[in-house]
Structures are given as C-alpha cells and as structure tokens.
Amino acid sequence: MLNTDMILKTLADMLLPDQININEDELYDAAADRYKKYAKAKKVLDVPSPIAIVYPKNTEQVSKLLMFCNEHGINVIPRGGKTATEGGLENWKENTIVIDALNLNEIIKIDTYNAQATVQAGVALQNLEDELRKVGFTTGHSPQSKPVAKYGGLVSTRSIGQFSTLYGGIEDMVVGLECVFPDGHIARIKNVSRRAGGPDIRHIAIGNEGSLCFITEVTIKIFRYYPENNKFYGYLVKDVDTGIKILREVIVNGFKPSVSRIYSEEDAAQHFYHFYENKCVLVFMAEGPKGIVQATGEAIEEAVAKFGDGVVKQVDGQLIADWFNHLNWSQKDIDDEIEGMIENDSHAGFTTEISADWETIPKIYHNVIERVRNEFSRAHDITMLGGHSSHSYINGTNMYFVYNYDIHCAPEDEMIIYHHPIQKIIVEETLKAGGSMCHHHGIGKYRSEWTLMEHGTAYYMLEKLKQAFDPKGIMNYGTIFPQEEGINKYIK
C-alpha cells in the first residue's frame, strides 16, 4: 500500500500544482457533508480527512486518476456542489482522494431545436438555467440547492426539483451521459429520444452516488419557459389527510401542476407563519402554455371543492408566489447557517424523505409522528416535528419529515443521540408499510444499514453491479453498499 507521500508524489506527476489541494482546512471540510453539519461546524468530526482533493480538467484525467487509485486500493469520493445530506461525501477510509468536478465546468451545447443541453459534470444548475432563460427555455429542475448544486452530483444522487410533478426527476430528464469506471474505462451513452436496445444502462450511472463510477458529462432535456402564465393557489385545510386527498384528486385526474404540496401545521409555521392560522397549508402552482395553466387551475379548484368540508379557506396566491420565490438557499445561506451553529449551539433542523402509494402515505405519517412523540427518549427536546408532501405521481406521493430539537449533548454525539433514532423510526415505519426509505436524498452512508431491507431480494442485482464495475471496492466506500466496519464505527 502506498503511503501519503508516495500518493502525493504520483498525483504531482499526473496533474499541475493548482489541481491538487492539500490545505488542511479544505481537507477537513471534505471529510464530511451536511449530514454532520453541526459537528463539522464545531470542529469535532470523528472521520479522517482525505489525503488530497484533486481537480481534473478533462475526462482523460479522471480516467488516469481512477486507474491509479484502483491499482493501489485508494478510496475515491466523487464530489460536485457539496450539497449532499446523507453522508454520501463523508470519508470512512484513511487513504482517500476526493475527485472534484470543479474544472469540468463547460456548457458544451444548448440545442433548442432538439430541446436538450449538454454540460460537463461541474456545471452549476443555476448557471445552465440562467443561460437557458436567455433563449426562452428552462431546465425544469429546481431543488433548493439550485444555486450551488452541480450536474454530476444531481445525476449521481437521482436529484429531484420543486417542479417535479410537471417535469419529473433528474432521471426523467437525462438523455445521455459520459462516465468513467474504476478501471479507467470511459463509457458514453448516446443521446436519443428513446430506444429498446436492452436494459436502460443510463441507470447504472444515474443514482450510483459515486459508488460505481464518476460522471463527467450529461445531456438533459430542456423545456420552453412561460413565466408570464404562472398561477399560484393556496388553501388552509384542516389536516394532512385532506390535503393528500386533494393532491391525489388533481394528479389522478391527469393534471400536472408544477408544484403540489401539503404542509402539516408544524411545518407550515416555519414557512407560512404570517397567514397559516395554525392550520395545514395546501399549495399549488400551474405553469406552461395558457391553455394548460387554465385547465390545471380549474382542476385544482374542482378538487378543492370536492373536499370542501376539510378546507378552511383560500389564501391570496401572491402570498404563495412570494414565499416560493425565496425558497432556494444560496452558498451564503449555507455559510450563515454554519456561523449560526458555531455561535448558538443550534441548527436549522433535519429532514428525512420517503415515498409510498396514496393509501399508505397518511398511515406512515401518523405512525411516525406518534412513535417519535412516544418512543424517542429525547422527545422533550423536540422543538418542531411535522412534514410535507411535495412530489406527487399518478400512483403515490412522498413525505418529507421535518424535525428540530434543542441540543443537550456534545456536538460529536448529536447525530447518534438525536437524529439517527428519529430517522430510524421513519425508516422502520416506511419499510414496514412497503414504501421507500429514500425518495430523493439518496442512501449515502447513513441509510446504508437498511439498503438490504429497502431492496429485498432485488439487492442481488445491485450487489452484482458493484462486483462487476468496482470489484476492488475503491468507489466511495460505505455509500449505498453497507460496510459493517464503517457502520459499527460511525453509526452504532
């Protein structure tokens, strides 16, 4: 096994000096993602820092780096915009190199006639969106991390955006891609509208979370943009169940508002404190050509009327528009949260997102809330516990559990004492009911202990992918694929 000096010497032979980062503060920052944001801010992380962060300038350099790491058993963590929340960027190995997509930042082509755009993995989503807006198009993809998230990370984590009910998740947008495997092989999946050429191999890379390959380039669909037609709808409703019934009515009837959400009273208090009146808040946005917006709006109103007994009142749509226009968080927001954690011994809370069919989601929601309140040993420290559904489909929806608490323990113990027990209850109730434990944040490392339960007998297929594409196990050790050594050391 190569030691640190030998690894750094080899990297220096392969790359220019400004492509290798060994700054101690930046290596510490690269040791974990937002999952351990509080411990990280307090400088008490319990995981090793990587040896170096490297910034390849092209696909060929990525290939050479992966071949080198594969030959010498060096763990690799692919990195994009650093917005991961489930430990997918956390380092569990001493000998680790972070390969960052910073220099893979070219918008290669915007093709409005064929409605697609090709970008390198390090292109920020907001940058592409800004360029598309100039020619009357949009990505249709708008996660809260939009100002800082990058395409390599978005694709590798199966990201979803706030307009997903209309445009779909990132997996619905990817046309083709380029990726590099640990043995250095560069694979290009061509851009076509559809094909029946065997299994859809795009999905080997999409959602792999850096555990199978490094994504270097993607081609995504783009959509015409009609901001002048946007219409917002807001309602106060009596309970979450009523809101879910209204969401289902709209979607199952064949309509696709870009935004369709129901917030519990507790969660609504965070977002709509100036008008929620201690009620749940139901939110819709219709967008697109005028005719579609009009038809969608009428469908929303009909669904609300059908379940009118559970609706308290309608609120001014401008209130919803104003809220939505300030929903995304920038790098400054992230930096401000870090400063707040350092100064105030608190943070903005956590979320755990799951999915299931329409009938099952309300049951999971109520079971989780009851169990957390009655079984969680630190329930008296909880300052907020609620949730919202924000991504709906013809056969079901998601539930974003949202929670925060007063922290009465050492920063390094917070996740084990507070977050993990709550997340464990959410995962248990979801899997017991047949839902998915991770709707769009991915498995990372901190849901990997349940990967086998998530997939059941189909885990055989997932495991074979790892054995085939990363037989030496150098890609993002501990992410998706459970590693007992890491789980026992950093979770249990």
Side-chain angles (χ1 to χ4, degrees), residues 41-56:
K42 292 293 189 178
K43 302 294 184 184
V44 293
L45 282 178
D46 58 351
V47 294
S49 293
I51 292 171
I53 307 165
V54 294
Y55 309 99

Side-chain angles (χ1 to χ4, degrees), residues 4 96 101 176 211 246 258 266 269 271-272 297 323 334 385 406 462 478:
T4 298
T96 294
S211 66
I246 295 172
S258 57
E266 300 85 354
H271 296 272
F272 313 107
W323 161 75
I334 297 172
L385 175 65
D406 291 327
L462 197 62

Side-chain angles (χ1 to χ4, degrees), residues 77-94:
I77 299 178
R79 191 174 78 170
K82 304 195 297 182
T83 59
T85 62
E86 301 302 322
L89 296 180
E90 186 167 308
N91 181 31
W92 282 5
K93 284 283 191 180
E94 293 292 339

Side-chain angles (χ1 to χ4, degrees), residues 14 35 48 77 88 116 144 152 191 199 211 234 261 263 268 297 314 341 372 398 400 462 481 486:
M14 298 171 66
Y35 185 85
I77 299 178
Q116 59 189 30
Q144 274 189 279
N191 303 325
S211 66
R261 300 182 169 210
Y263 285 80
Q314 185 171 3
M341 287 187 282
V372 172
N398 83 309
Y400 235 128
L462 197 62
F481 301 91

